[in-house]
């Protein structure tokens, strides 16, 4: 499985971790990962530490997620990007829409 | 056979004694004075010495002293040969090391009894000496092994002094080996990991698990894995390795390179505290899980906690050695005193805290390893990456995909993997993937499958688009996409040409799209990442140049 999700011990943070490539092949599973989000969740972390590749379809998926859950979740964070992926996010001005750290 | 040395300058005495003793089955050697006796002792294994007092060259007093000095490891009895009128010299005989007397004229029964008694004592002494030597041997062996192991342990701990601004720590083992373990490492993207572990017990038996655990920790951090994956890896390793009653309570921390967030896996150590610079507690972090090495892989609990930090925040965590330190009245140091010490002064140091703890213990013997860590949540410089050198071999790579191959393969991913094997290109693999993925999917989606990006503008259009794509792809029967690649080591460039059998379309409009829109992001990304992107007039072929420098 290239996508795993886990909830923190205190139940307030949902982490979606993507392994390998983040592209349109994950459209369904990525949507499902945040589809029925628990009411206690105040923060969603998309953890890209093991993501090697992403393309514009991944950017589309991230934007869709933001649109769907931003009213419910306080913070959406994209974390642990490798330098080249961070650059892709910056070129696309995603640093204005997400907390990238 | 008991070997007796008779030392006497008078032949009569020597003959009398040797006759009496030979009859009883003793082995006899003889000397005429003290000096000769010493010579005999150097070459023969003598058990008992019968020593005359008055002799030429060296008398019995001097000889006795020298013999006792020379052979001090095993009891070597000296029985002085005296006459009744020698009574005055008895005391002197004892002073110089004599063990007994035999009086002239000799009485066989008494002589026999004395020799028997003293040789029994000598046997016991011999045995004790052998045991002492054996013990000494084992002790030396032990020392040597400890030195070797200590050397290995010290070498297994990397990086500990590299992060002086971020980490202040103090480890005080109760014995030579530390059952507590503190590991530090930085991941490729710059996150700082540290792990404080406390193995059951202390000393070598407790420390032994630190070796494999530290290797696993460094390996996982070098891959930039999440703390729960690091914990899970070490758990499985210790579960398989350690005996059932041994485990490792641990706190594993990952501080983001920005210094602004922490992920923590907490298994079995006392509460950790998020404090400000004055030591006031902002958050108490309780242990969430069982220690490492107890649960098997399936039962293992992965949950971590996340929290935000700032550059003034510090995280204090310790093994139970501190709060369980007792004083002479068997009172524990306890959590409250620990919290007091954190507040005792601004930016309190581990040295300060350990100072308070030992002041409290007031000379009571240290029962357990005492370890404490203070982590300052400051940003980190990312590590210098070692760049691969570029291959000097120029090459072309070309592939053409028919409808069946388009449906069944993932050519972009496979191509990136192939190119990553070329010296120097691995560092650029994310960009190469992006270029190929955007160009190939454009050709496929719009050229070959004829999909319209405007679908994405509809309600739920994004997902509709990919559903339609799937259907169109399944129905595809006649199509071709050609990918040409060229690597030029001289200019450090990669050239790509991607050409499809579609009718082509106008690329102009998508370039105008804003970042908010659901599509068109791909093309602007291409233009940013590539040096040059050009389409042919009919819109079914794209050429890209990517600079590797």
């Amino acid at each position: 499985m290239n996508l795993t999700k886990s909830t923190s011990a205190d139940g307030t943070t949902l982490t979606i971790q993507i392994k390998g490539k983040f592209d349109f092949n994950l459209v369904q599973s990525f949507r499902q990962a945040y589809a029925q989000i628990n009411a206690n969740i105040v923060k969603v972390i998309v953890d890209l530490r093991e993501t090697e590749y992403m393309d514009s379809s991944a950017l589309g998926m991230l934007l869709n997620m933001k649109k769907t859950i931003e009213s419910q979740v306080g913070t959406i964070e994209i974390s642990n990007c490798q330098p080249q992926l961070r650059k892709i996010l910056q070129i696309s001005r995603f640093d204005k829409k997400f907390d990238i750290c | 056979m008991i070997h007796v040395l008779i030392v006497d300058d008078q032949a009569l005495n020597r003959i009398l004694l040797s006759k009496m003793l030979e009859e009883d089955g003793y082995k006899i050697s003889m000397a005429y004075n003290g000096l000769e006796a010493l010579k005999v002792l150097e070459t023969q294994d003598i058990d008992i010495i019968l020593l005359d007092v008055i002799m030429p060259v060296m008398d019995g007093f001097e000889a006795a002293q020298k013999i006792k000095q020379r052979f001090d490891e095993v009891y070597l009895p000296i029985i002085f040969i005296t006459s009744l009128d020698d009574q005055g010299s008895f005391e002197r005989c004892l002073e110089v090391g004599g063990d007994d007397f035999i009086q002239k004229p000799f009485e066989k029964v008494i002589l026999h009894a004395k020799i028997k008694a003293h040789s029994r004592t000598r046997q016991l002494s011999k045995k004790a000496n052998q045991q002492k030597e054996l013990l000494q041997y084992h002790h030396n062996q032990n020392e040597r092994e400890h030195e070797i192991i200590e050397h290995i342990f010290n070498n297994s701990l990397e990086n500990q002094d590299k992060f002086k601004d971020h980490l202040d720590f103090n480890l005080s083992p109760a014995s030579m080996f530390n059952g507590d373990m503190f590991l530090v490492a930085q991941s490729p993207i710059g996150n700082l990991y540290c792990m404080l572990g406390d193995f059951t017990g202390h000393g070598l038996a407790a420390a032994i698990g630190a070796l494999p655990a530290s290797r696993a920790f460094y390996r996982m951090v070098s891959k930039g894995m999440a703390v729960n994956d690091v914990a899970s890896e070490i758990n499985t390793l210790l579960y398989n390795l350690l005996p059932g009653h041994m485990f490792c309570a641990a706190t594993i921390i990952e501080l983001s390179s920005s210094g602004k967030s922490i992920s923590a896996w907490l298994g079995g150590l006392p509460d950790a505290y998020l404090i400000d610079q004055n030591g006031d507690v902002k958050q108490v972090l309780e242990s969430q899980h069982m220690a490492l090495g107890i649960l098997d892989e399936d039962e293992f609990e992965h949950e971590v906690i996340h929290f935000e930090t700032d550059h003034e925040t510090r995280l204090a965590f310790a093994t139970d050695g501190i709060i369980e330190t007792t004083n002479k009245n068997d009172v524990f140091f306890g959590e409250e005193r620990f919290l007091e010490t954190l507040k005792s002064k601004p930016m309190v140091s581990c040295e300060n805290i350990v100072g308070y703890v030992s002041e409290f213990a007031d000379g009571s013997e240290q029962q357990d390893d005492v370890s404490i860590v203070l982590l300052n949540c400051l940003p980190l410089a990312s590590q210098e990456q070692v760049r691969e050198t570029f291959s000097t071999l120029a090459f072309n790579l070309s592939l053409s995909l028919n409808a069946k191959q388009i449906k069944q393969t993932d050519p972009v991913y496979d191509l990136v993997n192939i190119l990553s094997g070329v010296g120097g290109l691995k560092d650029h693999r994310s960009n190469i993937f992006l270029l190929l993925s955007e160009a190939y999917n454009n050709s496929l989606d719009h050229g070959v499958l004829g999909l319209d990006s405007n679908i994405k503008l509809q309600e739920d259009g994004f997902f509709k688009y990919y559903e339609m794509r799937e259907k169109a792809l399944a129905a595809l029967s006649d199509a071709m996409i050609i990918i040409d690649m060229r690597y030029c080591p001289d200019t450090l460039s990669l050239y790509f040409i991607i050409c499809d059998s579609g009718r082509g379309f106008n690329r102009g409009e998508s370039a105008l799209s804003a970042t908010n829109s659901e599509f068109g992001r791909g093309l602007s990304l291409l233009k940013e990442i590539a040096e040059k992107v050009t389409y042919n007039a009919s819109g079914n072929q794209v050429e890209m140049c990517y600079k590797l420098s």
Side-chain angles (χ1 to χ4, degrees):
Chain A
M1 187 60 177
N2 287 334
L3 183 148
T4 49
K5 63 169 189 168
S6 58
T7 308
S8 66
D10 58 4
T12 61
T13 310
L14 171 71
T15 303
I16 302 172
Q17 198 172 334
I18 291 153
K19 206 169 179 169
K21 70 189 166 104
F22 187 9
D23 67 2
F24 67 87
N25 289 302
L26 291 179
V27 161
Q28 292 304 330
S29 47
F30 190 72
R31 178 152 75 152
Q32 273 157 21
Y34 61 81
Q36 275 152 355
I37 198 167
N38 193 299
N40 296 330
I41 303 284
V42 294
K43 182 174 178 179
V44 173
I45 299 174
V46 181
D47 190 338
L48 301 185
R49 69 176 68 233
E50 287 188 87
T51 312
E52 283 195 275
Y53 310 119
M54 62 191 281
D55 62 11
S56 60
S57 64
L59 302 179
M61 286 148 70
L62 288 168
L63 283 180
N64 265 303
M65 173 174 82
K66 187 174 160 71
K67 246 194 278 174
T68 312
I69 62 171
E70 78 178 328
S71 58
Q72 184 194 335
V73 175
T75 322
I76 303 174
E77 189 178 291
I78 302 174
S79 71
N80 300 312
C81 308
Q82 317 211 5
Q84 287 189 20
L85 301 189
R86 180 184 287 263
K87 199 177 161 204
I88 291 172
L89 293 169
Q90 274 163 358
I91 290 169
S92 311
R93 309 278 153 75
F94 267 47
D95 46 349
K96 303 258 186 296
K97 303 171 206 285
F98 294 89
D99 287 341
I100 299 175
C101 51
Chain B
M1 194 194 279
I2 297 167
H3 193 166
V4 183
L5 172 63
I6 301 166
V7 189
D8 202 320
D9 59 327
Q10 291 176 35
L12 183 64
N13 285 342
R14 291 200 304 270
I15 292 163
L16 266 173
L17 284 167
S18 64
K19 278 254 185 257
M20 286 163 98
L21 293 172
E22 267 168 0
E23 278 168 20
D24 288 332
Y26 294 105
K27 187 180 174 189
I28 307 295
S29 289
M30 288 196 260
Y32 312 111
N33 59 50
L35 195 63
E36 267 194 34
L38 282 165
K39 282 183 194 159
V40 172
L41 284 164
E42 288 302 331
T43 54
Q44 308 271 334
D45 186 19
I46 301 295
D47 294 307
I48 288 190
I49 302 162
L50 300 178
L51 185 61
D52 189 20
V53 179
I54 299 155
M55 290 179 290
V57 187
M58 187 190 283
D59 66 11
F61 297 133
E62 193 183 346
Q65 252 172 335
K66 293 214 153 109
I67 290 166
K68 287 288 180 181
Q69 265 170 21
R70 172 71 183 79
F71 303 94
D72 60 343
E73 286 188 346
V74 176
Y75 172 62
L76 178 57
I78 295 174
I79 302 175
F80 273 105
I81 302 165
T82 53
S83 334
L84 276 174
D85 53 2
D86 271 347
Q87 292 261 2
S89 64
F90 281 8
E91 212 172 307
R92 182 86 204 281
C93 288
L94 291 172
E95 267 172 26
V96 297
D99 298 294
D100 209 339
F101 308 94
I102 180 88
Q103 287 180 339
K104 289 181 268 192
F106 306 120
E107 278 186 50
K108 199 177 168 179
V109 180
I110 292 175
L111 178 66
H112 191 69
K114 289 195 171 185
I115 289 181
K116 269 247 154 124
H118 285 288
S119 53
R120 264 201 301 273
T121 311
R122 177 166 165 83
Q123 283 308 316
L124 283 174
S125 169
K126 259 188 177 169
K127 210 176 258 178
N129 191 54
Q130 278 167 0
Q131 285 169 344
K132 192 184 122 201
E133 277 176 2
L134 197 65
L135 211 60
Q136 187 64 41
Y137 171 80
H138 284 302
H139 178 74
N140 292 346
Q141 184 103 336
N142 205 26
E143 288 270 291
R144 219 177 95 75
E145 283 173 354
H146 276 194
E147 272 170 30
I148 292 169
I149 295 165
E150 202 186 11
H151 178 85
I152 295 171
F153 270 99
N154 290 339
N155 285 349
S156 77
L157 301 175
E158 304 167 5
N159 313 320
Q160 284 200 333
D161 301 323
K162 265 199 211 160
F163 303 97
K164 287 206 156 65
D165 294 340
H166 295 81
L167 285 165
D168 175 14
F169 62 92
N170 190 297
L171 306 180
S172 318
S175 61
M176 182 170 181
F177 292 105
N178 204 336
D180 286 359
M181 161 180 82
F182 182 58
L183 305 173
V184 184
Q186 198 179 11
S187 77
I189 57 168
N191 294 357
L192 180 67
Y193 291 67
C194 46
M195 170 171 178
L196 182 65
D198 178 1
F199 285 92
T200 327
H202 56 82
L204 180 57
I208 204 82
L211 280 181
S214 64
R215 296 290 102 185
F217 174 83
Y218 295 130
R219 192 175 63 243
M220 295 298 276
V221 173
S222 73
K223 289 192 214 162
M225 305 304 275
V227 277
N228 48 355
D229 291 328
V230 178
S232 171
E233 178 83 3
I234 297 173
N235 177 67
T236 305
L237 185 125
L238 295 180
Y239 179 77
N240 292 328
L241 191 75
L242 296 182
H245 63 280
M246 275 183 72
F247 46 83
C248 178
T251 290
I252 309 178
I253 302 288
E254 178 188 4
L255 172 68
S256 69
S257 57
S258 62
K260 287 182 183 161
S261 71
I262 282 180
S263 305
W265 187 92
L266 305 168
L269 282 186
D271 292 350
Y273 301 102
L274 211 56
I275 56 173
D276 62 20
Q277 304 208 321
N278 293 321
D280 286 317
V281 175
K282 294 159 78 169
Q283 200 177 333
V284 180
L285 310 172
E286 287 174 10
S287 163
Q288 311 280 337
H289 306 298
M290 288 179 108
L292 298 168
I294 297 174
L295 300 173
D296 70 23
E297 217 170 328
D298 299 330
E299 295 169 308
F300 184 72
E301 299 159 339
H302 294 262
E303 288 80 14
V304 292
I305 51 170
H306 301 278
F307 44 91
E308 276 154 40
T309 54
D310 56 47
H311 302 168
E312 264 92 58
T313 306
R314 313 178 83 195
L315 180 66
F317 52 111
T319 58
D320 56 10
I322 286 194
I323 55 173
E324 287 177 9
T325 293
T326 51
N327 65 9
K328 284 180 179 139
N329 303 322
D330 280 338
V331 177
F332 283 121
F333 188 73
E335 283 170 31
E336 270 176 41
R337 278 191 195 84
F338 181 51
L339 287 169
E340 286 299 315
T341 61
L342 290 177
K343 278 197 283 196
S344 60
K345 61 191 265 195
M347 289 301 281
V348 70
S349 71
C350 288
E351 200 186 339
N352 298 146
I353 296 170
V354 170
Y356 290 123
V357 173
S358 60
E359 197 178 300
F360 172 81
D362 194 21
S364 293
E365 202 194 334
Q366 187 182 338
Q367 297 294 325
D368 195 1
D369 306 318
V370 169
S371 309
I372 174 163
V373 181
L374 284 165
L375 171 67
N376 299 316
C377 301
L378 301 170
L380 289 124
S382 57
Q383 287 177 308
E384 276 294 309
Q385 297 294 314
V386 183
R387 296 262 170 215
E388 260 187 351
T389 47
F390 287 104
S391 165
T392 51
L393 188 68
F395 64 86
N396 289 352
L397 191 62
S398 176
L399 63 158
S400 55
L401 302 146
N402 61 23
K404 191 180 167 201
Q405 290 160 331
I406 290 169
K407 284 188 215 181
Q408 290 176 349
T409 61
D410 189 353
V412 172
Y413 189 64
D414 289 348
L415 275 173
V416 172
N417 279 341
I418 291 169
L419 290 176
S420 294
V422 177
L425 300 194
K426 199 177 176 193
D427 295 333
H428 294 266
R429 66 192 188 283
S430 302
N431 283 346
I432 296 171
F433 176 88
L434 182 89
L435 295 177
L436 278 171
S437 177
E438 296 302 333
Y440 177 80
N441 286 316
N442 260 334
S443 287
L444 179 58
D445 290 12
H446 309 308
V448 172
L449 300 176
L451 294 170
D452 182 355
S453 286
N454 285 316
I455 300 163
K456 290 184 186 169
L457 296 175
Q458 300 168 12
E459 174 81 23
D460 250 1
F462 189 76
F463 301 101
K464 228 175 252 170
Y465 178 86
Y466 283 105
E467 275 168 32
M468 286 174 67
R469 184 186 189 276
E470 212 172 307
K471 274 185 199 143
L473 194 59
L476 188 68
S477 63
D478 191 18
M480 179 75 81
I481 297 178
I482 295 166
I483 305 173
D484 273 314
M485 280 175 296
R486 190 154 55 90
Y487 169 58
C488 292
D490 293 344
T491 57
L492 286 179
S493 309
L494 271 173
Y495 295 94
F496 302 93
I497 298 174
I498 292 165
C499 176
D500 64 71
S501 60
R503 284 171 282 119
F505 62 98
N506 179 10
R507 309 276 166 165
E509 62 190 71
S510 47
L512 297 170
S513 30
T515 50
N516 277 335
S517 103
E518 295 304 320
F519 59 93
R521 232 170 276 112
L523 190 63
S524 44
L525 266 178
L526 272 192
K527 287 184 170 162
E528 288 278 351
I529 302 288
E531 178 82 1
K532 203 175 172 195
V533 183
T534 45
Y535 284 90
N536 68 352
S538 54
N540 70 340
Q541 179 173 307
V542 60
E543 279 190 56
M544 299 180 289
C545 169
Y546 176 69
K547 287 281 180 197
L548 295 160
S549 48

